[in-house]
């Protein structure tokens, strides 16, 4: 059926193979151009525009009469022009990187099939693939003979389904009668460095944010198991119902690994559900060299692993694995008869919170087929090598201070310390001066971040953090993930920081950003003339490796 | 970085434009072949294989050493071969149909960008597009000047976020302190024909399935507002906290439209949150002719609309709209500082339950740009025309009985009634005979469904249903959606049923499927020799249109 009244050209509402051929050929050219642009030395990651300005540069009008095929490519070109180019190795802002041609092919396949993997009969191959990949992942994690899993639309939803599954399994009466008159407060434990989706899930499930207990971390950002045990006992003494521990394998900011083995033992001892959020770090199972960081994964009741992060599959691809692959259906099914018929043990949707599902598992399946375990292993080991290279660059440059001396993972976190600004002495860290200094450092970080964004060659995020009971001012987090990152890009990155940092203190002072009387030109203790930084500064002390966490 | 030790050929872990060019060209050929296959007269929708057999036909092995690029296309070919071909108009099984070339291009764009639309600075254009499309949709629904929305990974998650937003807004203490000691039961109302995700959400949020009240439907599958009001009053008298009404615009099985205007008024009167699940029917706003079916949408606090259903965008694309576009962030934010920085009103992730988000809104944006409102209007009106055509075919064929005489929407629901099996008389509907007859009809439907699946030319689902207080045996639901459906395919569909139905009673009898003594060869009241069916049968009576529901 041809569309009538088109302004520019005729398009068929059904769309056939001829139309596809034409459009895909045109799209391919755009893609080639975009990838080449992203890989060009010195290219911008993004031509950044604030929202109000960008609105004037993109034609957001939604028309009554379509623009037809001839209008499509100019529109797409414009979308690409002002978007972040994740093919550029300078995109180091998030835990995901750009994808690869194999990933794009897989998304084309998914789009072509337009299949819903909720029931077997409309997605037979995709269902088997999801079962197969999940089982293989769970077995590699050592989760046992009955293990397996499903995909969810992202790590946060995987965490959500894990907690829900645990609650429904352990307290089935809440599933039917509700939590309102349950009497005992359900309590969840996660570390202060754990992902906020654990809190959001607890909030959604009606536990209340107050009942998501943040277990303190040690000075390397790992959950303190002594504190965990103390808090569980405290909760039991209060006659609460502690039921769920979230351990993190690769925290969002620092990349820290909670001690899974010890936490797993505590979970078993007190009969709590042991969940591991390995959204970021779980993929290390593909590397012989780094797999030890997730030792203890075999003890998990549920485990999340997001190949869309470290393995480069397209967004999104998140697996929720369980030691008992039947648990999702058992715990969560409502038995909707219109959809899930009599013999539906292959109908994956029944165990989830959603209904329609994208068949995300095939993204890892195809990638795994093409690259093999060895490909993922090389990808991971290259990234660790690059993270070490950057760490060394940063450490030997007096403009930077590491947050952790030895990053446990692929995030290299540091402050940029402008010339003439020193690191505060350890003995002063509790003082009012430290507060003021923190505010200054916060302004410095944000100003440099803004400048980096405007320069556009690298996209890098910043974050504040509470570590070992201490609030740290915002620092930069460089994520090393993309296999296209090499030494050259990292050398350039350091130069870029030096360029962006030029005159930052003077700028902030001139613009009256420093509010607390401590300015940078009076020669007081917060800076000195030659940029020398003492070895006993707060940051250096906080960052001292304690030797328990191998790289 | 080249992968070492590949078995067949070298592949680059980074992947560059040359590799993409090669792979996309090869993939394009596969796609063209697959689409042509799907559109070929007489082609199978699926070469159906049960799970155990299919496992032997797909190479599910996950290797240590990758198969390289040369292994990719044969693998993809095999995946396509055994998958459902949704380009075939015979795919009428679910509320979604195949997509179109424009949809595929958009997925290619999304894959190329590999962007996360949780914060503006990594997805600037995509964020503006999401805001813009959401606002336009909400305005077209009449939701007011402050309206807007966001996307969620499917209708079920949109419903979930709606209920959570309502709960957090109306009872903020539950967000922080939890629901455990809240004291008053939260109560949700939905119709007996509403989607099961409302129950799942209530279950997840800790309300308990028992507290999701199923309001009875009338004989056309619409929520009875007199019953709704009665149940609200009853709940208030019990000192409960009724807070959320889900009205459905286009139920899953029958396609019925709850009377939004009346329900909206009741919600306002009793101060309940008025949510509309228009996942399926919401898209009718694009049709002047059918928009009246969702009259009352302007009263909604939240409204779900899934363009991946009726508008043919690729799975998934679901909008959750609100009369106040700020409500999601206000109700649901936890203020995760590492991600959402100071000035983050454009950071859409903050108001959701997920973290990482696919930029699904661009699927509707690009489709809308290309086809225009007029294109969607034509698509919808064509579908209604075809649904009417099929309804007429079915009605004039004595082998079929309609469930509703005049389908309110694009689902044509009917029983296939084998020769010599009559429709039970109205006066017998409460008898044991009716139970037996229902069991027979259930077996007949399931057997024909199995046969249709094995024949493979059409994929059509079946469902049981409770309607107007009466349990109906499973019937077929033909979903008319794809714009490629024409009269010819529908003529073929009827013939296909006749072919599959051949000898079904005899087969079931021979295989001792009928357990209750009522067999088909003893000439009793459940059948007669000439296939005549009386006009006062239960099904016909149930199916009588009451004139309130325009087509």
């Amino acid at each position: 059926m041809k569309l009538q009244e088109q302004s520019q050209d005729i398009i068929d509402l059904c769309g056939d193979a001829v139309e596809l051929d034409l459009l895909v050929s045109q799209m391919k050219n755009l893609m080639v151009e975009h990838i080449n642009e992203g890989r060009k030395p010195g290219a911008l990651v993004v031509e950044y525009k604030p929202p109000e300005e960008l609105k004037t540069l993109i034609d957001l009008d939604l028309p009554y009469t379509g623009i037809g095929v001839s209008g499509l490519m100019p529109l797409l070109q414009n979308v690409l022009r002002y978007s972040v180019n994740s093919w550029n190795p300078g995109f180091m802002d998030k835990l995901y990187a750009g994808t690869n041609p194999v990933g794009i092919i897989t998304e084309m396949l998914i789009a072509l099939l337009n299949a819903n993997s909720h029931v077997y009969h409309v997605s037979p191959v995709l269902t088997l693939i999801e079962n197969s990949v999940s089982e293989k992942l769970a077995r590699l994690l050592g989760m046992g003979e009955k293990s397996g899993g499903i995909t969810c639309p992202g790590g946060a939803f995987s965490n959500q389904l894990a907690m829900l599954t645990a609650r429904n399994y352990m307290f089935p009466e809440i599933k039917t009668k509700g939590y309102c008159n349950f009497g005992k407060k359900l309590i969840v434990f996660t570390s202060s460095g754990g992902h906020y989706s654990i809190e959001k899930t607890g909030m959604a499930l009606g536990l209340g944010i107050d009942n998501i207990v943040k277990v303190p971390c040690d000075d390397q950002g790992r959950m303190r198991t002594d504190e965990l045990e103390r808090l569980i006992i405290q909760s039991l003494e209060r006659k609460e119902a502690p039921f769920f521990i979230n351990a993190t394998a690769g925290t969002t900011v620092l990349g820290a690994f909670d001690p899974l083995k010890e936490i797993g033992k505590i979970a078993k001892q007190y009969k709590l559900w042991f969940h591991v959020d390995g959204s970021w770090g779980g993929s290390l199972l593909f590397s012989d060299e780094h797999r030890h960081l997730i030792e203890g994964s075999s003890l998990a009741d549920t485990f999340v692993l997001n190949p869309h992060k470290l393995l480069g599959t397209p967004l999104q691809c998140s697996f929720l694995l369980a030691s008992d692959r039947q648990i999702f259906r058992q715990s969560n099914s409502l038995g909707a008869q219109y959809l899930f018929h009599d013999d539906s043990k292959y109908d994956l949707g029944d165990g989830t919170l959603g209904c329609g599902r994208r068949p995300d598992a095939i993204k890892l399946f195809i990638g795994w087929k093409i690259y093999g375990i060895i490909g993922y292993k090389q990808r991971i080991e290259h990234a660790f090598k690059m993270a070490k290279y950057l760490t060394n660059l940063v450490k030997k440059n007096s403009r930077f201070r590491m947050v952790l001396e030895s990053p446990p993972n692929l995030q290299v976190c540091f402050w940029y310390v402008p010339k003439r600004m020193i690191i505060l002495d350890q003995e002063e860290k509790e003082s009012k001066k430290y507060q003021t200094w923190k505010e200054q450092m916060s302004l410095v970080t944000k100003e440099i971040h803004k400048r980096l964004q405007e320069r556009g060659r690298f996209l890098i995020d910043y974050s504040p953090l509470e570590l070992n009971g201490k609030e740290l001012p915002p620092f930069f987090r460089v994520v090393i993930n993309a296999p296209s990152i090499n030494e050259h890009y990292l050398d350039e990155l350091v130069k870029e920081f030096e360029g962006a940092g030029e005159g930052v203190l003077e700028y902030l002072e001139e613009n009256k950003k420093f509010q607390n009387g401590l300015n940078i030109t009076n020669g007081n203790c917060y800076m000195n003339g030659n940029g020398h930084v003492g070895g006993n500064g707060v940051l250096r002390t906080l960052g001292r490796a304690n030797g328990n966490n191998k790289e």
Side-chain angles (χ1 to χ4, degrees), chain A residues 504-522:
Chain A
V504 65
L505 278 185
E506 292 75 4
Y507 168 82
L508 290 169
E509 174 68 10
E510 273 164 32
N511 289 274
K512 314 278 184 214
K513 301 277 184 181
F514 291 160
Q515 299 291 327
N516 291 298
L518 286 166
N519 69 53
I520 58 146
T521 51
N522 63 2

Side-chain angles (χ1 to χ4, degrees), chain A residues 485-497:
Chain A
I485 293 174
N486 59 29
E487 289 86 348
H488 169 71
Y489 278 103
L490 299 174
D491 294 340
E492 293 289 308
L493 171 65
V494 169
K495 283 185 208 150
E496 192 69 8
F497 264 98

Side-chain angles (χ1 to χ4, degrees), chain A residues 72-108:
Chain A
L72 180 58
M73 291 301 145
L75 174 67
L76 298 185
Q77 253 169 334
N78 213 32
V79 168
L80 288 172
R81 172 168 176 190
Y82 293 106
S83 288
V84 169
N85 191 325
S86 59
W87 296 82
N88 189 323
F91 178 67
M92 300 164 163
D93 194 280
K94 294 277 169 275
L95 299 180
Y96 67 92
T99 185
N100 44 50
V102 174
I104 287 183
I105 292 299
T106 314
E107 285 289 6
M108 288 171 78

Side-chain angles (χ1 to χ4, degrees), chain A residues 289-301:
Chain A
E289 200 178 328
H290 302 287
R291 195 181 303 123
H292 67 91
L293 289 165
I294 55 170
E295 212 193 322
S297 60
S298 60
L299 303 173
D301 293 304

